[in-house]
Each structure stands twice: as C-alpha cells, then as structure tokens.
Amino acid sequence: MRAGTDDMEVPHAKLRALYDFWRTRAGGRALPSRLDFLPEEFAPWMGHIAIADVEHPSLEMRFGLFGAAFVYVNNMDLSGRPVAELPPLVSAMILADYRGCVESRQPLYTRRQSVNRDWTHIHRIVLPCSSDGALVDKLIVGLYTEGGRSPFSG
C-alpha cells in the first residue's frame, strides 16, 4: 500500500508507530532526512530496522544497517552489503519495492508470505528519506514477522 496522504493504512501497530514517527520528522517537508533521526530514537524498533543507502542514478542499494529480524528472515547478514546479494527471487521483489518507493517518494507497507519460511508472514514498511529534499538517498525499513515460533513477531 502506497501512501498518498497522511492516512496510509498500516495495520501493524509497531510499524504504524514507526510510520507516525517518520511523518513527525518530516515536519512540513515532503520527506525527512536520515539526519532528522537520532540512532537512539529507533530503540522501540531495535532489531527490526534496516537502512539502505540509495545510489543515483543507478538505484543500486546497499544496507548500512541490517537488523536481527532481517537476518532471521533472510538467513544472512547483509550489513554493509548490496541488496542484490539476497537470493534472486527475494532480491527481485525487494528491489522492485525499494525502487518503487524511491521513484514515487512515498512510503510502502506490505504484508507477504515469507519466501524462506512457509509458516511466516512478513510485515514491512519502507520509508524514504532525502538529504537534499529532492532525491531519495536512504530508505528506513521496518520488519516484523507473524506466525510460527519466530522471535521477531510483534
């Protein structure tokens, strides 16, 4: 679900709180900058956050931070590594979502069946940030699982 207004539907409570937090940091601007956030302010979502750097004009992306929930869901730690290093099926889907978010300059919320774990659904929000107010250069991503015995449900 893409945001078009302040009324974007985010049914997952913790991701809704992250979305609302992102909106407050934007203030009157279309997008906040990553610098509008202090690292300790992400404490309520610790382990459930990834931050991807966006390279222009290629739209290649690299994770600067890859929280424990992301490691659990993807069976690998991609901290400091390109999004494209995810398995092909996963990276194609993730890159399509991330690039769509960059191009539209709008947040995106999804709930999907996990590709890696049949019993787990993934709740994910992708929040664009821009240091110059024009180009999206960072994505803040929140992720929670649902189902099974996941330690990252919530």
Side-chain angles (χ1 to χ4, degrees):
M1 294 174 206
R2 290 219 182 271
T5 68
D6 288 345
D7 296 331
M8 183 171 105
E9 183 181 338
V10 181
H12 190 279
K14 291 179 182 175
L15 292 179
R16 177 65 196 199
L18 179 59
Y19 171 69
D20 291 341
F21 175 60
W22 173 85
R23 281 186 27 224
T24 63
R25 289 297 188 252
R29 298 168 292 160
L31 298 172
S33 166
R34 168 61 186 92
L35 297 177
D36 292 326
F37 304 89
L38 297 173
E40 61 269 20
E41 293 176 314
F42 290 107
W45 306 281
M46 190 63 63
H48 297 269
I49 296 285
I51 297 178
D53 298 315
V54 181
E55 297 175 17
H56 289 276
S58 67
L59 295 186
E60 296 300 317
M61 297 178 207
R62 176 178 298 274
F63 288 109
L65 174 69
F66 200 68
F70 291 84
V71 173
Y72 172 78
V73 165
N74 294 290
N75 298 315
M76 61 190 334
D77 184 358
L78 287 180
S79 296
R81 296 170 53 194
V83 175
E85 286 189 19
L86 287 164
L89 177 62
V90 176
S91 68
M93 180 177 50
I94 298 298
L95 283 169
D97 285 350
Y98 287 11
R99 288 177 178 150
C101 187
V102 168
E103 292 167 355
S104 71
R105 298 172 32 103
Q106 296 292 321
L108 173 68
Y109 171 81
T110 59
R111 179 185 180 271
R112 292 191 177 119
Q113 177 72 39
S114 172
V115 173
N116 298 327
R117 302 180 189 277
D118 293 339
W119 44 262
T120 302
H121 282 86
I122 307 296
H123 294 266
R124 181 171 45 104
I125 194 162
V126 184
L127 304 167
C129 295
S130 174
S131 58
D132 68 3
L135 288 177
V136 172
D137 53 8
K138 299 259 189 215
L139 297 173
I140 298 171
V141 186
L143 178 144
Y144 285 84
T145 64
E146 171 191 340
R149 296 179 304 227
S150 169
F152 297 101
S153 293

